[in-house]
Amino acid sequence: MLGPLSVPRRRLLLLAPVALLVALAAVLVVLAPERATGSYAERCERFAVDAEARAAAVSGTGAPVLVVGDSWSVGLGLADPTASWPARLDGRVHVAGFSGSGFSARASGCGDVSFATRAPVALGALPAETLVVVEGGLNDWDRSADEITTGFEDLLSTVAGHRVVVVGPAGAPSRAAYVGRVDALLAELSARHDVAYLSALDVDLDYLDDRLHLTPAAHAAFGDWVAAGVRGAARP
């Protein structure tokens, strides 16, 4: 004969596999993005390798230029990263880019790879007259004004003595709702410190399916736009 506890026990036995499937589904939801893109450590290692490769691909001739930037400068998503937008600038162009980085120290999940941290290392082997073009802000979308301000001022202190042009974030569809605040803050900080600022918020560009990174044609268009802006910023 079945005792009073038999029905609940049978229900538990029936429910146990269901609960296990639910738990496994939850784990897969959490892990799926990491399996698709690799672990964060693997991504950071890949970003570092990409940064070194792009830094080695110096382009052009003439006056030295250093571009300090994020994944756009590195050419993330391009079949040929050396065709990223800095290749369109005038001069002998060096690129110190790192995907996911920004003005603030915590913009990246790969540690402090901020512009202020990387710029002096890249400038160490370049002449004193090197122009510094800083491009970014898309990865600062969720950072506070204080964090961005600190990173911006730290950057300027590391490039003291160099002519600097700051290029703000474009309105990439995936972050268009957030970067207006960053653009306004960078414009204000640039004006306060007498630094040339190019607002890219309204530049019309084509994006890859991720709605964040540029197509090859957009890299060329953006590079030409920055080049024209840098020339204009150099006028008295």
Side-chain angles (χ1 to χ4, degrees):
M1 179 180 287
L2 296 177
L5 296 180
S6 298
V7 173
R9 186 173 296 132
R10 289 175 63 189
R11 286 179 181 170
L12 285 175
L13 290 173
L14 290 172
L15 288 174
V18 177
L20 179 59
L21 289 174
V22 171
L24 286 174
V27 170
L28 289 174
V29 167
V30 173
L31 291 182
E34 288 302 306
R35 288 181 178 175
T37 60
S39 70
Y40 217 101
E42 290 170 343
R43 279 194 289 169
C44 292
E45 183 178 348
R46 186 173 72 251
F47 290 164
V49 170
D50 291 346
E52 289 182 11
R54 188 62 184 87
V58 181
S59 62
T61 60
V65 179
L66 172 66
V67 173
V68 181
D70 52 24
S71 58
W72 283 25
S73 64
V74 174
L76 186 65
L78 295 182
D80 177 14
T82 65
S84 63
W85 72 264
R88 312 287 291 193
L89 299 182
D90 303 326
R92 183 71 170 158
V93 183
H94 304 255
V95 178
F98 196 98
S99 296
S101 66
F103 288 91
S104 53
R106 295 199 302 156
S108 169
C110 297
D112 184 4
V113 288
S114 65
F115 301 156
T117 297
R118 292 185 289 109
V121 177
L123 280 171
L126 297 177
E129 67 272 17
T130 299
L131 164 67
V132 179
V133 178
V134 184
E135 169 269 316
L138 278 173
N139 296 314
D140 295 289
W141 67 276
D142 60 346
R143 298 293 94 199
S144 70
D146 286 345
E147 288 178 288
I148 297 170
T149 298
T150 297
F152 186 95
E153 294 179 342
D154 286 348
L155 169 67
L156 290 189
S157 69
T158 66
V159 299
H162 294 267
R163 185 165 73 91
V164 179
V165 176
V166 176
V167 183
S174 66
R175 294 182 184 172
Y178 309 100
V179 295
R181 174 187 70 92
V182 179
D183 172 74
L185 177 57
L186 292 176
E188 176 189 335
L189 290 170
S190 296
R192 185 188 307 172
H193 293 279
D194 196 25
V195 171
Y197 182 69
L198 304 179
S199 174
L201 206 59
D202 296 325
V203 180
D204 187 18
L205 299 166
D206 292 326
Y207 293 84
L208 298 174
D209 290 342
D210 65 3
R211 294 161 40 92
L212 179 61
H213 295 97
L214 300 176
T215 64
H219 268 279
F222 185 66
D224 290 343
W225 178 83
V226 174
V230 170
R231 292 187 209 110
R235 293 172 188 165

